[in-house]
Amino acid sequence: MAKRKNFKANLVKQSVKQVVQKTVQQAVGRAVEKDPRILEIQTKYQKNGLTFQSNNNNIIPRDQAGNIKLQESATDNPLLIIEPASTRILNKSVLKVIDTQFNYFKFPATTRIVDTDDLDIDLDLDLTVEQESEDVIYARYKPSENRKILSDPTGQGIASGILINELEEGQIQKRPNNYYITKQIKDSGVDLRFRIKINFRYDSDASDFNTTYFYISRSGPDKYLQRDYIQYFDFDDPYAGGGKISQYQVQNAYKDVVIANSEFEVGDTFSITALAGINDPNKYSTINAAQTYWSITDASKNVDEWNREI
């Protein structure tokens, strides 16, 4: 009988304890739900469309206060799952942020005429810079690389055109290595001034010399090719008559000449030709591209080789 009484008493104590615990948990849960801090946090998450906490007890069991039920040292605790949150962005949401409407003009466009009878326009324009930039005469060319000066294997003394293909300034070359007479050049009525400098060297396996000749050639639709149209360049070495150059010697050949407007027509071309006395693998003359140029300017202007006023 004593055991049965003790058993009943224990049951009553446990029942009372459970009721008290449940009542306390409910009270705590109600207190937490009414806690302004918790409500503020919940409101922020709800406003942004995010899940504040799971209400699915099959995923993470919680008590009435919202706390996850975990027991220390227990082996049957549920896994802690972090629920992902997704946001749905609609086209309407983007248009609220980015206004893509075209609000500048209305179509069809209309024009309004302003009465200009009383306007007095007096323009004094200085076109000096523009006129200088439109110089149809000036050009400056140079070779793009070093080249050997060819000889005439036939022995007839026929000169060959040299490489002078790189544009430094001015008018482009309509034909490679040539100065081309355009309608603007001819119709301008000006004479042309050619200033040429050719730097060259003679290499030989023997202590001898070579001869090198330079010319200005001319050709055109109604003119035959005249390879030696302008002859006799000047040399640094006063004793280099006929372009004589010794072994390993470096020389400069010059020509400064004016070509009258009457000497050319539209479509004519001018170029530079050269003839070496010897050109074989062991004896040859070479043009140095870096120190060679051909400058063409208006002969009536007092300018230098770069078309700068003197």
Side-chain angles (χ1 to χ4, degrees):
M1 291 294 293
K3 292 182 178 179
R4 293 180 65 184
K5 289 180 179 181
N6 292 334
F7 178 72
K8 290 180 178 181
N10 290 333
L11 289 176
V12 172
K13 289 180 180 180
Q14 291 178 358
S15 299
V16 173
K17 185 177 180 181
Q18 291 177 354
V19 171
V20 171
Q21 288 179 345
K22 185 174 182 181
T23 302
V24 171
Q25 290 174 354
Q26 291 176 350
V28 172
R30 287 193 295 273
V32 170
E33 291 177 356
K34 294 180 180 180
D35 188 340
R37 291 184 306 149
I38 299 298
L39 291 175
E40 182 181 354
I41 296 174
Q42 290 178 344
T43 302
K44 180 182 70 174
Y45 278 85
Q46 291 171 357
K47 182 179 179 180
N48 291 301
L50 304 176
T51 303
F52 172 66
Q53 64 182 26
S54 174
N55 57 4
N56 189 342
N57 290 327
N58 294 323
I59 298 176
I60 302 177
R62 298 175 180 267
D63 58 21
Q64 293 184 356
N67 301 312
I68 298 174
K69 293 181 180 180
L70 296 175
Q71 297 181 7
E72 294 185 8
S73 303
T75 59
D76 57 349
N77 282 326
L79 296 175
L80 182 61
I81 300 176
I82 306 299
E83 290 186 275
S86 61
T87 302
R88 185 180 181 187
I89 301 177
L90 302 177
N91 186 37
K92 184 178 180 181
S93 303
V94 177
L95 293 178
K96 287 181 178 179
V97 180
I98 304 174
D99 186 3
T100 59
Q101 294 182 354
F102 187 76
N103 296 320
Y104 299 100
F105 301 101
K106 292 183 179 180
F107 295 94
T110 58
T111 59
R112 184 165 59 93
I113 300 176
V114 179
D115 188 4
T116 59
D117 293 340
D118 297 333
L119 294 179
D120 183 12
I121 301 177
D122 184 10
L123 298 179
D124 184 10
L125 302 179
D126 184 3
L127 303 179
T128 304
V129 175
E130 182 180 354
Q131 290 172 354
E132 289 180 356
S133 64
E134 294 181 356
D135 190 335
V136 298
I137 306 298
Y138 173 59
R140 182 179 170 111
Y141 307 135
K142 67 181 292 293
S144 59
E145 62 183 23
N146 297 348
R147 285 283 181 90
K148 292 181 180 180
I149 302 173
L150 300 179
S151 60
D152 181 11
T154 66
Q156 299 179 28
I158 299 175
S160 301
I162 70 169
L163 182 72
I164 190 94
N165 61 330
E166 186 172 306
L167 173 67
E168 291 192 285
E169 283 187 342
Q171 300 299 316
I172 63 173
Q173 292 183 344
K174 293 183 178 292
R175 297 178 184 175
N177 307 309
N178 285 263
Y179 183 77
Y180 181 86
I181 303 301
T182 64
K183 290 184 294 184
Q184 291 83 357
I185 295 174
K186 177 60 181 178
D187 294 344
S188 68
V190 303
D191 300 333
L192 303 179
R193 183 178 182 182
F194 289 178
R195 277 174 283 196
I196 303 168
K197 173 194 171 187
I198 300 175
N199 181 269
F200 63 105
R201 168 192 172 101
Y202 176 56
D203 289 280
S204 174
D205 59 355
S207 180
D208 58 357
F209 66 90
N210 195 5
T211 54
T212 309
Y213 302 93
F214 297 100
Y215 311 97
I216 297 175
S217 71
R218 183 189 65 176
S219 64
D222 299 318
K223 296 181 179 69
Y224 68 91
L225 173 59
Q226 189 175 354
R227 298 176 185 269
D228 57 351
Y229 169 67
I230 301 291
Q231 303 182 22
Y232 308 117
F233 277 50
D234 299 320
F235 295 86
D236 282 337
D237 185 354
Y239 300 103
K244 180 179 178 181
I245 185 169
S246 302
Q247 180 190 29
Y248 305 137
Q249 186 180 8
V250 177
Q251 284 198 42
N252 289 315
Y254 301 96
K255 193 63 179 179
D256 188 342
V257 64
V258 173
I259 310 294
N261 187 273
S262 59
E263 289 291 304
F264 53 80
E265 299 295 335
V266 177
D268 286 358
T269 58
F270 293 91
S271 62
I272 303 173
T273 58
L275 175 64
I278 304 174
N279 178 29
D280 63 42
N282 298 317
K283 302 175 185 291
Y284 53 88
S285 295
T286 306
I287 294 177
N288 178 20
Q291 297 185 33
T292 297
Y293 66 82
W294 178 15
S295 173
I296 304 99
T297 57
D298 182 345
S300 64
K301 293 182 178 180
N302 187 24
V303 294
D304 64 7
E305 296 86 350
W306 291 96
N307 204 34
R308 296 176 299 190
E309 188 174 352
I310 300 175

